[in-house]
Amino acid sequence: MHSAVLKAVPEDFVVSEAALPCPGSGDGGRYEYLRLRKRGFTTFEAIERVAAGFGVPRSAISAAGLKDEDGVTEQTISLDGTTTPQALAAFNESTQDGSRWVTVSPAGRGDRAVEIGELVGNVFALTLRDLGEDLVTRLRDERTIDLFFVNYYDTQRFGVPGGPKQTHLIGGALLAGDHDTALELVRASGSAEGEKALRHEGDGESFFAGLDQRIVSFYLCSHSSFTWNNRVAELVATTAGDQAVPTTKEGIDFLLPTSPGAVLALAGEQRSACYDKYRWTGEAMRHTVSRRRTVVQTEVTVTSAARDELFPGRWRAGLSFFLPSGCYATNAVAQLLLQVT
């Protein structure tokens, strides 16, 4: 397997959300749509900043999906209210926090909030670093690569960068009704919610009752994601045989096919698998079962190849591609490097 460094700096991982058009976007409507750009913040933290900056409750802000904190990301959010150019400028100036920042810009108005499920996918512009010249030559010669990859949830689904990967354990404890164990796991998570948990003086049940229930639904979905990964890994073990290698990243196990044929064998055996979804409706936590594709196809374009200024004597390459909602670019790149020989 070829090695590479991704996210050496946040600008190496640029994500732009592709969402359905905001309903009724224009000059009228109850909701204001804002284009949110951020660096170094989770989507939940950014929403909290926006709510505080414009003096509205967190529930007045909604987004179609979550974006990594260790990159530069852009997405559309809705605000139940109205801003002004002056307020937007003041907010953007106030949210510069060293290397971390959040900015918003107007994107129209409409009659309803942005909702989970309206996200079509994401466009990625990535820089892979610390590459050997042979790999860069191969990528540059290919120019475009038709990539099939197993649709695993990647490690950022299970915890913040640098922290333990255990959001699935938090979700599992909540599903079992063990709120105190879930609280202790949150306290050790290294996340913004972990800081709140460390200050909390009551029991676990009261902590989660007072937490933004969209975060609780994220924990529950993380447990579903871990379960789904394990189910798909069992399928890979059956269909790929010796054309798969076990890999552990930050304590999370994967079984990755080493050839396009092995990935297609999985697609031929089972194109999708059941997945438990949890969503906060504003009044109750809704549980549904849907299907998720086991294999995803995308076309990767090699946009650049040059000497790597951060890793002397090595090379870097730029990649761009689109992925449907719920797919992980880091997972796609890991399997691309396995398949490129």
Side-chain angles (χ1 to χ4, degrees):
M1 176 180 176
H2 296 283
S3 63
V5 173
L6 180 58
K7 301 183 180 180
V9 294
E11 286 73 16
D12 287 348
F13 194 86
V14 179
V15 188
S16 182
E17 180 183 84
L20 295 172
C22 295
S25 58
D27 295 331
R30 169 178 171 176
Y31 296 93
E32 180 161 0
Y33 304 123
L34 300 171
R35 198 64 176 170
L36 169 72
R37 297 187 75 247
K38 61 183 182 65
R39 182 189 196 268
F41 287 94
T42 67
T43 299
F44 288 127
E45 289 176 299
I47 287 175
E48 192 168 73
R49 290 277 180 127
V50 174
F54 294 102
V56 298
R58 284 186 58 162
S59 58
I61 311 290
S62 59
L66 305 179
K67 298 288 177 288
D68 293 353
E69 59 268 40
D70 50 349
V72 176
T73 70
E74 183 175 325
Q75 66 191 116
T76 298
I77 62 173
S78 60
L79 182 150
D80 188 357
T82 301
T83 66
T84 65
Q86 295 78 14
L88 289 171
F91 173 82
N92 290 338
E93 185 176 349
S94 70
T95 54
Q96 308 301 307
D97 185 8
S99 62
R100 306 167 76 220
W101 47 261
V102 178
T103 65
V104 291
S105 57
R109 299 193 66 86
D111 298 324
R112 66 180 179 84
V114 172
E115 296 182 357
I116 294 291
E118 294 178 337
L119 177 60
V120 176
N122 297 285
V123 178
F124 296 88
L126 310 183
T127 300
L128 302 187
R129 296 187 180 273
D130 195 19
L131 305 178
E133 186 175 2
D134 58 337
L135 174 57
V136 170
T137 299
R138 171 66 187 277
L139 292 173
R140 184 168 50 197
D141 290 346
E142 289 279 350
R143 186 59 179 172
T144 60
I145 301 168
D146 198 16
L147 175 65
F148 294 85
F149 64 97
V150 180
N151 193 23
Y152 287 116
Y153 289 91
D154 216 339
T155 55
Q156 54 267 51
R157 181 69 166 177
F158 306 111
V160 298
K165 302 304 185 238
Q166 57 188 30
T167 56
H168 59 295
L169 300 178
I170 298 170
L174 290 174
L175 288 170
D178 189 352
H179 292 80
D180 290 337
T181 294
L183 175 59
E184 292 308 311
L185 289 167
V186 174
R187 283 172 171 160
S189 67
S191 64
E193 293 72 41
E195 296 177 7
K196 295 178 182 178
L198 288 170
R199 298 192 298 268
H200 181 72
E201 297 181 351
D203 62 11
E205 189 168 0
S206 64
F207 172 76
F208 288 101
L211 198 62
D212 185 333
Q213 293 303 292
R214 292 173 293 188
I215 298 175
V216 175
S217 70
F218 170 75
Y219 291 142
L220 300 178
C221 288
S222 293
H223 180 267
S224 298
S225 300
F226 187 78
T227 302
W228 197 91
N229 275 8
N230 288 341
R231 184 179 303 125
V232 172
E234 292 174 357
L235 290 171
V236 172
T238 300
T239 58
D242 60 0
Q243 294 186 61
V245 294
T247 301
T248 300
K249 295 195 298 180
E250 300 179 89
I252 304 295
D253 295 329
F254 302 89
L255 185 63
L256 302 180
T258 57
S259 70
V263 180
L264 292 174
L266 170 61
E269 177 68 22
Q270 187 164 333
R271 296 181 61 183
S272 65
C274 290
Y275 175 73
D276 289 292
K277 298 175 69 173
Y278 297 88
R279 179 185 172 193
W280 176 248
T281 66
E283 298 178 353
M285 193 69 70
R286 183 185 177 199
H287 171 227
T288 59
V289 179
S290 63
R291 298 196 70 85
R292 174 180 169 89
R293 283 184 288 176
T294 59
V295 171
V296 172
Q297 177 187 10
T298 189
E299 183 176 84
V300 179
T301 300
V302 182
T303 57
S304 65
R307 292 284 187 179
D308 192 337
E309 67 279 8
L310 298 185
F311 295 86
R314 302 288 283 174
W315 291 74
R316 59 176 169 82
L319 306 178
S320 67
F321 50 89
F322 170 83
L323 291 179
S325 174
C327 301
Y328 286 74
T330 48
N331 173 42
V333 169
Q335 295 186 55
L336 170 68
L337 294 175
L338 268 177
Q339 295 179 31
V340 174
T341 57

